[in-house]
Amino acid sequence: MYLARGSNDDPYVWLWVLGALALYALISYGLAYRARSRRGSAHPAHDALHDLKDREDPQPPENRFFSRLIMLGGAGLTGLVAYLTSGALRVLTVGLTVVLAVAVWAYYDHRTQTRAAAQR
């Protein structure tokens, strides 16, 4: 009997993925909170939380393409850094690369989302 197995080099790969998604949500919330507080909102934390929930409007195709390109480029760069390093250096460099890539991705999505919202 054969068992289906994937590459199991790093058993914590799902934790890295979930951490990156949580970091994206946290950075997106921080950017929305900052934008709401600068606009003089009475409840910037509450409004920022609703802004994240109301992001269900689809992006224009060119914005979605560049957002996915940033996401995949960051993932590729993170994979390359993980491949080229080992030990404690790997954890440090992959962590920094993930934070940088997710911050760029969240910032791009925030900037394009606020431009679309301003045009309405």
Side-chain angles (χ1 to χ4, degrees):
M1 175 185 346
Y2 291 103
L3 296 175
R5 289 181 155 201
S7 175
N8 201 10
D9 292 340
D10 187 7
Y12 301 109
V13 71
W14 286 109
L15 291 177
W16 283 101
V17 170
L18 290 175
L21 291 175
L23 184 63
Y24 175 80
L26 183 67
I27 291 172
S28 294
Y29 176 78
L31 290 169
Y33 176 83
R34 188 177 128 226
R36 283 299 189 157
S37 63
R38 283 187 172 187
R39 287 187 214 144
S41 174
H43 305 286
H46 185 265
D47 293 339
L49 190 61
H50 281 287
D51 285 348
L52 292 179
K53 188 180 99 177
D54 293 338
R55 281 187 158 180
E56 296 174 8
D57 295 331
Q59 293 176 321
E62 62 274 359
N63 290 354
R64 185 174 44 242
F65 173 75
F66 285 113
S67 176
R68 299 306 180 255
L69 190 65
I70 292 169
M71 178 182 64
L72 292 174
L77 183 63
T78 302
L80 181 66
V81 166
Y83 177 74
L84 295 175
T85 58
S86 64
L89 182 62
R90 175 183 284 174
V91 173
L92 179 66
T93 56
V94 167
L96 290 174
T97 306
V98 165
V99 168
L100 179 66
V102 169
V104 169
W105 181 32
Y107 184 73
Y108 176 80
D109 281 351
H110 172 73
R111 294 297 293 175
T112 57
Q113 189 268 337
T114 55
R115 285 184 192 150
Q119 291 175 352
R120 289 183 207 177

